[in-house]
Amino acid sequence: MRAAAESPAPGAPPGRGALRRNLPPARRFLAGRKRVLVRLGGWSLLESAQTFLGGYCLAQALDRGFLAGQTGTGLLWLAVAAASILGAGPPMRGVFAQLAELTEPLRDALVRRAVRQALRRAVTDPARTDDRADTGAVSRLTHQTEIVRDSFAGLVLTVRAFVFNAVGALIGLLALAPELLLVVLSPLVLGIALFLATLLPMASAQRAFLDADEAVAEGVGAVSAGHRDLVACGAQADAAERTGRLIDTAERTSRVLARWAALRTVALGVAGQLPVLLLLVTTPWLLRQGVTTGALAGALTYLLQALLPALHSMMTALGAAGTRLLVVVDRFQDATAAPVPPKAPDPAPDPAPDMVAEVGPPRGRRPSRTVPAVEVRAVTHAYGPDSPPVLDHLHLTVRRGEHIAVVGPSGIGKSTLAGVVSGLVAPDHGTVLLGGEPVTGATAQDLADRRVLIPQQAYVFTGSVRDNLLHLRPDVTSGELTHAIRELGAEPLVHRLGGPDAVLDPRGLSHGERQLLALCRAYLSSAPLVLLDEATCHLDPAAEARAERAFAERAFTDAARARHGALIVVAHRLSSARRADRVLVLDGATPRFGTHEELLTSSALYRDLFGHWQHTPPPVGS
């Protein structure tokens, strides 16, 4: 599901789709800085005047001065041209001052977006991160923001230089002799049109090449990290075939990119070299039309010293920096998108019978007629406007004191459901109630008092063991702390670390030890609802069973039931599902909910998972 959310809309070329996605925010950004653009244009007009004077003064110096025998007049015209060149310093200083007013706000906005995206990804999908930092977020926050700023500044400078140099040169050609425009303008317009026609396909090709290159790196990295598992399962041939397909795709995309680069070179030749060639070829005709020698020299000056260098710089910048800018900015749009603001709860329609959790009381427990611990009403959530929903009109009711397991294939939405129930992810539609109270609009403290979520990657910080365990509830008594450590089986670990007051170094802990400390912290919290999002995946089966039993007994105490306590476990082992009162099977559009025995009859996916779990050996160690 995540891959679908991060890819372009089906049927749309990546470059064109990226342009459509980024044009509206680009327009809003520029519209908010109209005064800066006006001042930038004002300073650039002085550059147009300098370009005009360069060619025009040379033509007049030849025609009215040196060729007419008036050396003084010729020198005077050249002095005017030299003065215009020497006076270019203040306009350029003004241009760069206004450029900073455009580039720095853009960089600041991208930094804020990168931080929001990294925080949202860490909250909504903690399983994608490990002890190391999110390298993608770090790259966007540092390297990619600098790429965008530098590329944007270069584009503004080069496009501005071409536009205003072209204005000065074309006015100069018209002032010297209108016939010069007939010769120069046609190949110039043709080359620019051909170049512009390659921009979007080139962006598409470059994005496809970058995606293919990243896919090869990720695929090879995954094979390298899991080579022992691949050999143990006899999956070498399948891994080699998948990696080969990735490499073939990267080769094809590089060939496509090379073809578009060749066409861009042709466009540069048409716009950059053909006008000069045509001007030389048509010189006899131009002389017969009354065009003077000075006018021809001025035209060559406009072409060779102003127009064509600016054109070459613009094409190079648009072809390289422009494409890179479009691709990198689109990464900021793609990277889990901007945080979705909470929406008002939608009226929940009558739930569909096959998607409702109400299928009978938990095993061995009395049905409760009081307010449920958790109610999920017609919840729908997707990670992008064009991606299929991860949760689609889902209904779920968890009773007080109930132990629920959530199972399903990887990426089906189990962690998303945990985030939605805990209030960390705002659903697109539907309502979530904890103890009869809506999650939407609740403050962070309200949510912390009502539920505790432990993700797969447990958080442990530098400090004492006691500080870590009492982080969610500092007023825990020594007896309660000892009881929690004993119930979770963490006594050997705490003893090895030096006791509750020993200083803890997170780098010296294994994944399983971190999870055990995080579980103790959650057990001590005052929140009655506990959500374990594969929070025991690094523990051995016996330690996992002990932890789940402790949390289940905690949820069924009278005090916890009075506060709408329950236990929801995102399971990765069969034993977790067998220990639960009921099991929710997420299977795309047809989730199933019931006891283990009921699901073996009603859910084909659960039968498949059951068979897979039965034939998968348990992990060794923690």
Side-chain angles (χ1 to χ4, degrees):
M1 298 295 182
R2 189 180 302 112
E6 293 184 354
S7 55
R16 194 175 300 277
L19 188 63
R20 282 200 299 265
R21 285 190 294 273
N22 290 288
L23 270 181
R27 291 195 191 101
R28 290 194 297 270
F29 176 80
L30 295 176
R33 289 157 181 83
K34 292 180 180 178
R35 293 184 178 180
V36 177
L37 294 175
V38 170
R39 290 195 295 267
L40 181 62
W43 286 113
S44 299
L45 279 176
L46 298 178
E47 189 172 346
S48 295
Q50 176 195 341
T51 301
F52 171 80
L53 290 174
Y56 189 81
C57 289
L58 176 62
Q60 300 305 317
L62 289 173
D63 290 338
R64 298 187 181 184
F66 303 118
L67 294 180
Q70 302 293 327
T71 304
T73 303
L75 291 176
L76 183 59
W77 279 107
L78 291 181
V80 174
S84 69
I85 295 173
L86 294 176
M92 289 306 298
R93 184 171 58 187
V95 165
F96 278 97
Q98 301 310 313
L99 182 65
E101 295 293 328
L102 288 176
T103 56
E104 295 307 316
L106 175 63
R107 178 187 178 277
D108 294 343
L110 292 178
V111 167
R112 287 192 294 270
R113 175 171 292 185
V115 171
R116 287 197 302 267
Q117 290 169 351
L119 292 175
R120 184 175 185 270
R121 175 172 292 182
V123 169
T124 61
D125 198 0
R128 293 187 65 181
T129 60
D130 55 17
D131 299 328
R132 296 168 294 181
D134 182 354
T135 55
V138 173
S139 176
R140 284 189 296 276
L141 190 60
T142 56
H143 181 57
Q144 294 185 26
T145 54
E146 295 302 320
I147 287 178
V148 171
R149 182 179 68 171
D150 294 344
S151 300
F152 179 67
L155 280 177
V156 172
L157 282 177
T158 53
V159 172
R160 176 207 61 83
F162 171 74
V163 169
F164 287 94
N165 273 300
V167 169
L170 294 177
I171 293 176
L173 289 172
L174 184 62
L176 293 176
E179 292 85 357
L180 294 172
L181 283 179
L182 297 178
V183 176
V184 171
L185 201 56
S186 298
L188 187 64
V189 172
L190 176 62
I192 293 176
L194 183 61
F195 170 76
L196 293 177
T198 67
L199 280 180
L200 289 181
M202 188 76 173
S204 299
Q206 187 158 6
R207 182 186 176 103
F209 173 75
L210 290 175
D211 289 342
D213 185 63
E214 290 181 1
V216 169
E218 291 179 4
V220 172
V223 169
S224 176
H227 69 278
R228 289 182 297 179
D229 295 333
L230 292 172
V231 173
C233 299
Q236 302 99 309
D238 182 62
E241 181 183 356
R242 290 192 207 176
T243 306
R245 287 198 299 267
L246 294 175
I247 294 174
D248 292 341
T249 301
E251 180 186 7
R252 287 194 301 271
T253 57
S254 65
R255 291 180 183 275
V256 172
L257 183 61
R259 286 196 291 268
W260 282 110
L263 185 57
R264 175 167 294 169
T265 303
V266 172
L268 182 58
V270 171
Q273 306 301 326
L274 195 55
V276 177
L277 180 61
L278 286 179
L279 184 63
L280 296 176
V281 170
T282 58
T283 295
W285 176 80
L286 291 171
L287 291 174
R288 289 195 300 269
Q289 300 301 315
V291 177
T292 64
T293 303
L296 289 173
L300 283 173
T301 301
Y302 285 135
L303 289 177
L304 298 177
Q305 294 188 6
L307 193 57
L308 298 187
L311 174 64
H312 186 276
S313 298
M314 184 191 70
M315 285 189 171
T316 303
L318 283 177
T323 304
R324 183 170 62 246
L325 177 65
L326 183 62
V327 171
V328 175
V329 169
D330 198 46
R331 299 267 169 173
F332 284 85
Q333 300 282 358
D334 284 350
T336 327
V340 179
K343 299 181 180 180
D346 294 339
D350 293 332
D354 63 337
M355 298 174 63
V356 184
E358 296 290 345
V359 294
R363 293 198 305 268
R365 300 183 185 178
R366 300 183 302 275
S368 172
R369 297 183 180 277
T370 56
V371 176
V374 178
E375 286 182 274
V376 177
R377 299 177 179 175
V379 162
T380 297
H381 184 73
Y383 281 107
D386 299 321
S387 63
V390 180
L391 303 175
D392 190 10
H393 205 70
L394 177 68
H395 293 264
L396 175 67
T397 300
V398 180
R399 301 185 181 92
R400 297 186 185 184
E402 193 170 15
H403 177 185
I404 299 297
V406 182
V407 302
S410 177
I412 199 65
K414 303 186 295 295
S415 294
T416 301
L417 176 60
V420 168
V421 171
S422 64
L424 298 179
V425 177
D428 297 329
H429 303 286
T431 306
V432 177
L433 303 176
L434 299 184
E437 298 293 328
V439 169
T440 302
T443 65
Q445 185 59 50
D446 290 339
L447 292 175
D449 292 337
R450 291 152 65 182
R451 56 89 182 109
V452 58
L453 169 67
I454 303 298
Q456 179 180 356
Q457 302 300 328
Y459 173 65
V460 179
F461 55 88
T462 301
S464 69
V465 175
R466 186 186 303 273
D467 291 339
N468 274 272
L469 299 186
L470 273 58
H471 180 62
L472 298 178
R473 188 181 156 212
D475 60 346
V476 170
T477 64
S478 297
E480 291 173 323
L481 177 61
T482 302
H483 174 74
I485 293 173
R486 183 175 60 251
E487 287 296 304
L488 272 298
E491 289 174 306
L493 172 60
V494 174
H495 178 72
R496 182 183 71 79
L497 295 174
D501 295 318
V503 176
L504 188 64
D505 182 4
R507 295 172 298 180
L509 298 176
S510 68
H511 290 292
E513 290 170 339
R514 293 184 183 203
Q515 286 190 334
L516 194 55
L517 292 176
L519 290 168
C520 290
R521 179 195 301 151
Y523 189 91
L524 288 167
S525 75
S526 59
L529 173 64
V530 177
L531 299 102
L532 304 181
D533 186 6
E534 296 194 1
T536 59
C537 64
H538 295 296
L539 302 180
D540 60 63
E544 179 184 68
R546 180 170 184 168
E548 290 185 4
R549 281 196 299 269
F551 277 102
E553 292 170 1
R554 175 187 184 274
F556 197 62
T557 61
D558 291 339
R561 284 169 57 83
R563 299 186 59 221
H564 310 96
L567 173 63
I568 300 177
V569 178
V570 175
H572 67 286
R573 293 190 183 119
L574 170 65
S575 54
S576 291
R578 294 293 300 269
R579 282 190 291 269
D581 297 319
R582 291 188 289 178
V583 181
L584 173 64
V585 183
L586 292 181
D587 187 10
T590 57
R592 292 288 184 268
F593 192 77
T595 64
H596 170 72
E597 293 77 14
E598 291 169 345
L599 292 173
L600 287 177
T601 303
S602 63
S603 173
L605 174 60
Y606 189 78
R607 289 194 298 271
D608 292 339
L609 292 173
F610 180 76
H612 169 72
W613 279 331
Q614 277 191 318
H615 294 90
T616 301
V620 179
S622 61

